[in-house]
Amino acid sequence: MKLDVDALRYLSKDDFRVLTAVEMGMRNHEIVPSELIDRIASLKHGGTYKVLKNLLKHKLLHHDSSKYDGFRLTYLGYDFLAIKTLVNRGVFAAVGRQIGVGKESDIFEVATEDGTVLAMKLHRLGRVSFRAVKSKRDYLRHRSSYNWLYLSRLAALKEFAFMKALDEHGFPVPHAVDCNRHCVVMSLIQGYPLVQVKQLQNPDTVFETILGLVVRLAEHGLIHCDFNEFNIMIDDDEKVTMIDFPQMVSVSHRNAKMYLDRDVECIFKFFRKRFNLTFDENEVEDDDSEQESDEVCWPQFSDIKKVSGFLDKELEASGLTRKDQDDIEKFVDVDVEKDSGSDCEETEDEDIADQTNNASVKDFESMSLVKQEGDNLPDDVNMAHQDASENEGHVQTGCNPPENREVEDNAGDDDTRDEHGRNSEEDEHDDDPELVKRLSKQRQRAIHAARGRRKVITSRNTYKDKGGRSSHNSKIQKQLNSW
Ligand code: ADP
Ligand code: MG
């Protein structure tokens, strides 16, 4: 997916406020009702409808009017929220080229103020098989709505927590820098995925190192579960770094033995095919190589001295709870049934990896214009991480009604002008008359409400918009007012 961060520089404070309001609404809604967005955002001068149109124009939101008029974040919208937060935190200042694309992630180079280049991984769970996810995954069926933001955020948090813990225990992994929403920032590995490497000086040594890592991980109570040539990076000195941790499980997992065997099998198969290594005939079939057999033996699950739960403390320190781990593991489980073994095969990923790595122009888009005074996205306005069922009925009515706001018919005009001074209303969404109609209706209602001629729009049960005005009001207001 292309990540055009250009628009990020031109988005106003109100744009981000409304974008965050949609994110908040997505706690309990797959599609967030427009009226609810307006109430959560509570723009000082009104004009939510114009901001929504601007966000729609930049593809940060998706409009849906099939059941009721509403919006949801797109992955790009979610990317912008995470990137803005990380830029405001000073984690990086510019976004560069894409350096990797996985089944459910995109990886970009980012640069800090002092020019250090890091890697940013944006998780995209559900991108590949949204329908399959929706119909098959039992635990999701029991939730009020499928929440890919929640899953992507969990995947990122899990990856960050594992990377940090493994780093602390001396495993060769990227250095975990920071994490926000579905985004993990880590050190950039100077090397190539093993899948792109056609020749090695010391294939035996590399093979043993890699197999040793699988064993050491298991001794630490962990199984990678996707340990293959796509997730092992190797540099010019043939130093190995392992990446990609959202699917890791504990050795106490009920399928642990199968996962371990599969990881080991992938390594054996790859080295046999690519580097003509030979192994014990009993362990690897189809051995047609002429080379002498090595003494390498297949690590057995039962032989590994395990220290179960070894990293639990470290993981919790990163904010990853047991429940988070359970949730994401359920997700991984089904993947395994569906995709079993697929990652062992060479796929078109190789071509994609080639393409992305061959891109030579380092073209960093500076994010320096993004920062606006007092414009910090609160880290904890991070609604997607909340389990939808837990939060049912809490947020939506937690916003001040608009009666005290000054709203003019043309309020917000300035904010919706783009960088060329065009008014987005003039040239956008003429092709969606229904949307225009609904939005102007909404605007009229807001204006009337503001002038006190009309009762403030109340919660609507059809939107699962229950709950009373409460302390949540002030909490959300505080969060929103702080930027
Ligand atoms: P996925 O979970 O989608 O498989 P990965 O974490 O495996 O994503 O990353 C996909 C690709 O991105 C890798 O094969 C590698 O080429 C590149 N990549 C990922 N992390 C880094 C990093 N820290 N440094 C350099 N390249 C990376
Ligand atoms: Mg991968």
Side-chain angles (χ1 to χ4, degrees):
M1 183 179 130
K2 196 172 175 297
L3 177 64
D4 183 2
V5 289
D6 213 39
L8 226 161
R9 281 179 281 187
Y10 305 109
L11 292 183
S12 67
K13 225 168 150 177
D14 280 358
D15 287 329
F16 275 103
R17 206 175 157 97
V18 172
L19 205 57
T20 309
V22 178
E23 183 188 31
M24 285 175 144
M26 284 183 74
R27 259 189 183 181
N28 299 14
H29 299 81
E30 213 163 329
I31 303 294
V32 190
S34 307
E35 292 159 3
L36 178 60
I37 299 168
D38 185 46
R39 289 208 306 284
I40 297 176
S42 295
L43 296 188
K44 261 197 196 123
H45 305 291
T48 305
Y49 80 102
K50 270 192 177 171
V51 177
L52 284 169
K53 281 168 66 178
N54 191 40
L55 297 173
L56 206 54
K57 175 179 112 180
H58 290 296
K59 299 189 169 39
L60 305 177
L61 294 180
H62 170 81
H63 178 234
D64 187 312
S65 57
S66 52
K67 286 187 196 138
Y68 48 81
D69 188 59
F71 295 82
R72 67 166 167 77
L73 279 180
T74 59
Y75 259 121
L76 189 63
Y78 203 38
D79 293 348
F80 273 32
L81 287 172
I83 290 171
K84 186 169 168 67
T85 301
L86 289 164
V87 169
N88 286 353
R89 270 190 212 165
V91 176
F92 59 84
V95 177
R97 67 186 174 117
Q98 183 160 9
I99 50 169
V101 56
K103 247 191 320 201
E104 294 185 307
S105 79
D106 288 313
I107 291 97
F108 295 85
E109 281 181 346
V110 291
T112 62
E113 289 282 2
D114 68 5
T116 310
V117 181
L118 302 168
M120 167 178 78
K121 177 167 176 177
L122 296 162
H123 285 264
R124 311 222 182 273
L125 266 73
R127 169 166 80 178
V128 176
S129 51
F130 183 83
R131 269 169 222 279
V133 166
K134 200 163 180 164
S135 61
K136 283 187 195 157
R137 293 174 187 180
D138 264 3
Y139 88 109
L140 288 170
R141 239 184 269 154
H142 300 304
R143 298 161 71 104
S144 56
S145 65
Y146 169 70
N147 198 334
W148 51 262
L149 280 84
Y150 170 71
L151 290 172
S152 293
R153 183 201 163 273
L154 267 194
L157 179 60
K158 181 170 176 184
E159 177 144 59
F160 179 76
F162 274 77
M163 208 186 298
K164 217 159 170 262
L166 291 170
D167 194 15
E168 279 162 18
H169 283 85
F171 282 89
V173 296
H175 173 61
V177 176
D178 206 347
C179 173
N180 180 262
R181 296 177 171 85
H182 62 321
C183 175
V184 180
V185 182
M186 61 187 115
S187 60
L188 184 77
I189 302 303
Q190 299 295 346
Y192 325 86
L194 193 56
V195 68
Q196 290 178 30
V197 177
K198 305 292 175 203
Q199 260 189 332
L200 286 173
Q201 295 280 326
N202 303 297
D204 300 86
T205 316
V206 173
F207 172 76
E208 278 164 34
T209 305
I210 290 172
L211 212 57
L213 278 175
V214 180
V215 174
R216 224 176 105 209
L217 272 179
E219 286 169 352
H220 280 72
L222 294 170
I223 298 167
H224 187 287
C225 292
D226 201 10
F227 204 66
N228 55 51
E229 62 275 22
F230 295 94
N231 293 326
I232 296 165
M233 306 278 289
I234 190 151
D235 68 9
D236 291 336
D237 299 328
E238 304 198 343
K239 181 180 171 292
V240 164
T241 306
M242 55 180 183
I243 57 167
D244 203 358
F245 315 104
Q247 66 293 317
M248 281 182 102
V249 299
S250 153
V251 287
S252 54
H253 190 281
R254 65 184 185 289
N255 293 327
K257 184 184 172 330
M258 185 269 280
Y259 290 137
L260 182 84
D261 286 346
R262 198 182 60 177
D263 278 359
V264 171
E265 190 183 349
C266 281
I267 303 303
F268 269 85
K269 264 192 177 171
F270 178 73
F271 273 82
R272 184 170 53 81
K273 258 183 159 174
R274 179 69 60 92
F275 304 112
N276 292 323
L277 293 200
T278 56
F279 310 105
D280 186 336
E281 294 279 335
N282 294 329
E283 305 294 359
V284 182
E285 63 294 314
D286 304 324
D287 189 357
D288 47 10
S289 164
E290 303 275 293
Q291 287 188 12
E292 259 182 48
S293 185
D294 287 25
E295 287 303 305
V296 180
C297 62
W298 188 288
Q300 293 298 321
F301 186 70
S302 51
D303 293 343
I304 291 171
K305 233 175 121 230
K306 286 152 279 203
V307 193
S308 195
F310 187 80
L311 294 176
D312 276 0
K313 248 195 0 236
E314 286 88 338
L315 297 176
E316 263 174 39
S318 294
L320 188 74
T321 63
R322 193 61 253 173
K323 184 184 172 298
D324 291 340
Q325 290 189 56
D326 288 348
D327 268 9
I328 197 83
E329 271 181 25
K330 280 179 212 150
F331 192 77
V332 168
D333 245 8
V334 188
D335 265 350
V336 167
E337 283 156 29
K338 193 183 58 170
D339 300 336
S340 191
S342 63
D343 272 337
C344 295
E345 307 302 327
E346 288 181 28
T347 69
E348 61 193 23
D349 278 8
E350 191 175 354
D351 297 335
I352 295 166
D354 276 337
Q355 284 166 20
T356 52
N357 275 279
N358 286 340
S360 57
V361 190
K362 291 203 172 186
D363 183 16
F364 283 92
E365 291 274 0
S366 169
M367 297 287 102
S368 53
L369 292 174
V370 172
K371 211 161 178 174
Q372 298 171 13
E373 221 181 311
D375 191 16
N376 293 321
L377 269 184
D379 294 352
D380 54 351
V381 182
N382 194 355
M383 315 311 291
H385 71 278
Q386 307 269 4
D387 188 306
S389 56
E390 278 172 14
N391 296 301
E392 198 77 86
H394 283 315
V395 184
Q396 286 71 9
T397 51
C399 300
N400 292 332
E403 55 259 75
N404 296 326
R405 274 184 264 138
E406 273 180 32
V407 181
E408 293 166 17
D409 282 12
N410 60 352
D413 275 358
D414 289 343
D415 293 340
T416 54
R417 279 180 200 280
D418 62 18
E419 66 275 25
H420 308 296
R422 285 193 311 250
N423 188 325
S424 56
E425 193 184 12
E426 288 160 13
D427 47 11
E428 290 301 320
H429 303 296
D430 291 338
D431 53 334
D432 192 350
E434 204 191 342
L435 171 63
V436 173
K437 214 167 98 190
R438 279 168 200 270
L439 288 173
S440 41
K441 235 186 191 166
Q442 183 199 336
R443 178 170 67 153
Q444 287 307 320
R445 272 195 234 128
I447 293 164
H448 284 302
R451 289 175 180 161
R453 291 184 198 151
R454 187 181 182 282
K455 258 179 122 179
V456 176
I457 305 148
T458 50
S459 304
R460 290 167 61 166
N461 284 333
T462 46
Y463 298 152
K464 289 193 237 95
D465 183 7
K466 305 170 203 123
R469 292 226 308 263
S470 65
S471 58
H472 294 292
N473 283 4
S474 51
K475 199 171 160 199
I476 290 167
Q477 271 318 119
K478 229 167 48 206
Q479 281 175 342
L480 290 174
N481 286 336
S482 71
W483 46 275

